[in-house]
Amino acid sequence: MNNTALQTIVAKSLPALSGESLTYNAAKNVYLTLGYTSAAGNTYYKAIRLSNRLAVFYNIGQGYARTFLNGITLFCWDGTKAKIIGQKFWGGSNWRDFSEYFAKEQSILMLKDFLEGQLKLQGAYVSEQDLLAFSRSAIEETQRKQLA
């Protein structure tokens, strides 16, 4: 799948991106939305990673001295559109410097929590170790280069 085809699919499949301009940063293997700059001079944008099952949106702020993580939204595909399955936000006195490691680990825990809830709804059990292993694998899939 080429870059244009993937951008078209993303624009149609993820409502949060409809009408937004995307660029692909090959060095970081991430799609970036157009940012906006606040009155305080901080620039805010989304960094997006995709797989055939998941989309991970990082809400990022770029200040004069540091890059910070404002939140993560985790989406799954329901067959026709994206569905939010997890969200975490940071800010105010609880803000976080952006770290790929921290963002990845938080995404893994969000997916594990979602799957754990789904298992409880079905009355099924899977070990925490297996849930974490699957969640790590699924999030790592979003970090692999998807372009042919």
Side-chain angles (χ1 to χ4, degrees):
M1 180 179 288
N2 68 33
N3 192 355
T4 304
L6 188 53
Q7 284 181 346
T8 301
I9 288 168
V10 168
K12 288 180 180 178
S13 301
L14 299 175
L17 292 180
S18 298
E20 292 216 33
S21 178
L22 291 176
T23 58
Y24 180 70
N25 180 320
K28 300 236 181 210
N29 188 38
V30 67
Y31 284 90
L32 302 170
T33 62
L34 206 55
Y36 72 90
T37 303
S38 70
N42 296 329
T43 300
Y44 298 92
Y45 58 93
K46 290 182 181 85
I48 303 151
R49 293 215 162 100
L50 305 165
S51 73
N52 65 338
R53 290 179 183 233
L54 299 171
V56 182
F57 282 41
Y58 301 142
N59 293 313
I60 297 176
Q62 178 70 51
Y64 72 93
R66 56 181 27 119
T67 301
F68 42 95
L69 179 64
N70 288 326
I72 300 172
T73 304
L74 186 60
F75 293 86
C76 72
W77 310 109
D78 75 0
T80 58
K81 62 182 178 177
K83 173 183 162 188
I84 295 174
I85 60 171
Q87 285 187 302
K88 285 189 180 181
F89 297 101
W90 297 270
S93 62
N94 188 31
W95 64 276
R96 297 292 308 209
D97 277 328
F98 182 80
S99 150
E100 285 282 354
Y101 176 81
F102 178 78
K104 176 182 173 183
E105 292 303 308
Q106 291 299 306
S107 300
I108 290 166
L109 292 174
M110 290 167 61
L111 181 56
K112 181 196 77 77
D113 289 347
F114 170 76
L115 294 172
E116 207 167 45
Q118 295 301 301
L119 286 165
K120 283 181 185 176
L121 286 173
Q122 296 178 22
Y125 173 80
V126 173
S127 75
E128 176 135 353
Q129 182 180 1
D130 287 344
L131 276 175
L132 275 171
F134 176 83
S135 298
R136 180 170 302 282
S137 175
I139 294 300
E140 286 174 349
E141 180 67 23
T142 69
Q143 297 178 323
R144 290 190 192 103
K145 296 216 185 277
Q146 303 293 320
L147 302 176

